[in-house]
Amino acid sequence: MITSGKINKNILLIKKNYTLYLFLLPAIILYFCFYYIPIYGVQIAFKNYSPAAGITGSPWVGFTHFLRFFRTNQFKVVISNTLILSLYGLIAGFPMPIILALIMNSIKSNKFKRVLQTVTYLPHFISTVVFVSMILLFLSPSGLFGQISRLMGSTPGNIMGEAYMFPHIYVWSGIWQQIGWSSIIYLAALSSIDPTLYEAATIDGASKWQKIIQIEIPSIMPTCIILLILNAGNILNVSFEKTFLLQNSLNLSRSEVITTYIYKIGIQSTQYSFSAAVGLFNNIINFIVLALVNYISGKLSETNLW
């Protein structure tokens, strides 16, 4: 129960640090406008929405659009493709920034470390359109891949036309683009480790590998768990821009995910209520997974979000 004393204490704290809260205000306003106000429109998922009638004037239909999505032939396809890309990306991509951070933390030369950080950070700042254009250029029969194949005496094929290759291209290109940027938070966690722990381990004769296992990994484990929980909460959120730009008629069977499906039925086919129902279903599943993983994490490691 919140007492008046606690409320007064919080008010005094806000008054004392009001300048910091002023810096935070634009972000709060932006977040409120783009994430809370649109919640009002979620009700069209339960209506036959018509732009002419408006949200309030459109008739209620209950869970009709949800049941329609569950019964459509695309349900299994988009769910399975989304889960494959998400789980593949999580399993393959989550440990990579941790490994890179541990490697960079072990480098003695500050100059080489700065160069490595710059090289691994740069791909993050490439826009999605440019990044996808690079992938298509490299993997085209006339691109880098095609040239290498010809030098090796083989005929280059159309990799982007092979549906089974799409998950590998999507996941590993994403790892290459984000591994450096994602490692920053782990480097920050490693930099906060007490140096006396390393000194004590050196005196005890511990090798570098033993220091990593006994000191560094346990120290960053809470950070790893929190980020894993957050990533699990986006299990059905596959990047729309990158997936849509890499998508073509030949790989559609493996590249059609929930986000691209919502775009096609909502924007291209103007089925607003149906697309809203699919999007709401997607968000509900993500929230359930987030809450479940957070609960399990709290029970096993006592580290969770709430």
Side-chain angles (χ1 to χ4, degrees), residues 92-102 104 175 178-184 186-187:
F94 185 77
M96 293 298 179
I98 302 174
I99 296 172
L100 179 61
L102 293 172
M104 287 196 288
I175 292 173
Q178 299 297 337
I179 184 173
W181 185 258
S182 300
S183 67
I184 293 177
Y186 299 110
L187 285 171

Side-chain angles (χ1 to χ4, degrees), residues 115-126:
V115 172
L116 180 61
Q117 287 176 325
T118 302
V119 170
T120 55
Y121 292 172
L122 281 178
H124 170 78
F125 298 99
I126 302 176

Side-chain angles (χ1 to χ4, degrees), residues 57-300:
S58 300
W60 290 93
V61 294
F63 292 95
T64 300
H65 299 300
F66 293 91
L67 296 175
R68 176 188 166 193
F69 175 55
F70 299 152
R71 293 166 182 166
T72 185
N73 294 330
Q74 289 284 29
F75 175 74
K76 291 182 179 180
V77 175
V78 297
I79 293 296
S80 61
N81 288 343
T82 304
L83 285 175
I84 288 172
L85 290 179
S86 297
L87 293 175
Y88 186 5
L90 186 62
I91 294 171
F94 185 77
M96 293 298 179
I98 302 174
I99 296 172
L100 179 61
L102 293 172
I103 292 173
M104 287 196 288
N105 191 60
S106 302
I107 296 175
K108 300 297 182 183
S109 174
N110 290 328
K111 184 176 181 180
F112 180 71
K113 183 187 294 186
R114 286 195 294 268
V115 172
L116 180 61
Q117 287 176 325
T118 302
V119 170
T120 55
Y121 292 172
L122 281 178
H124 170 78
F125 298 99
I126 302 176
S127 69
T128 304
V129 175
V130 174
F131 185 69
V132 170
S133 299
M134 292 171 58
I135 295 174
L136 297 177
L137 182 63
F138 291 155
L139 298 182
S140 68
S142 60
L144 180 62
F145 168 76
Q147 298 296 333
I148 294 175
S149 298
R150 290 187 184 92
L151 288 175
M152 297 178 66
S154 62
T155 303
N158 183 14
I159 295 182
M160 293 306 303
E162 300 290 343
Y164 74 93
M165 288 296 296
F166 183 86
H168 306 296
I169 295 170
Y170 178 89
V171 170
W172 289 104
S173 62
I175 292 173
W176 174 72
Q177 185 181 23
Q178 299 297 337
I179 184 173
W181 185 258
S182 300
S183 67
I184 293 177
I185 191 168
Y186 299 110
L187 285 171
L190 288 169
S191 65
S192 64
I193 297 176
D194 189 351
T196 58
L197 294 176
Y198 290 107
E199 296 173 1
T202 302
I203 294 172
D204 290 338
S207 64
K208 183 58 187 176
W209 178 251
Q210 289 174 326
K211 291 177 183 178
I212 292 175
I213 297 298
Q214 301 296 332
I215 298 176
E216 295 180 354
I217 292 181
S219 298
I220 65 173
M221 189 56 66
T223 303
C224 297
I225 293 174
I226 293 298
L227 291 177
L228 180 61
I229 294 172
L230 293 175
N231 288 335
N234 289 314
I235 195 68
L236 292 183
N237 283 345
V238 176
S239 173
F240 163 75
E241 296 88 354
K242 183 180 175 183
T243 308
F244 186 72
L245 292 172
L246 286 173
Q247 198 174 79
N248 58 55
S249 58
L250 298 176
N251 62 28
L252 194 62
S253 61
R254 301 294 294 272
S255 62
E256 188 75 293
V257 295
I258 290 180
T259 51
T260 58
Y261 182 66
I262 290 174
Y263 168 76
K264 291 175 182 178
I265 62 174
I267 303 299
Q268 295 182 346
S269 301
T270 65
Q271 301 180 52
Y272 304 116
S273 293
F274 183 51
S275 62
V278 177
L280 183 58
F281 166 78
N282 182 31
N283 291 330
I284 291 174
I285 296 300
N286 284 333
F287 177 77
I288 292 174
V289 173
L290 173 65
L292 182 61
V293 174
N294 184 69
Y295 174 78
I296 295 173
S297 174
K299 291 294 184 181
L300 297 179

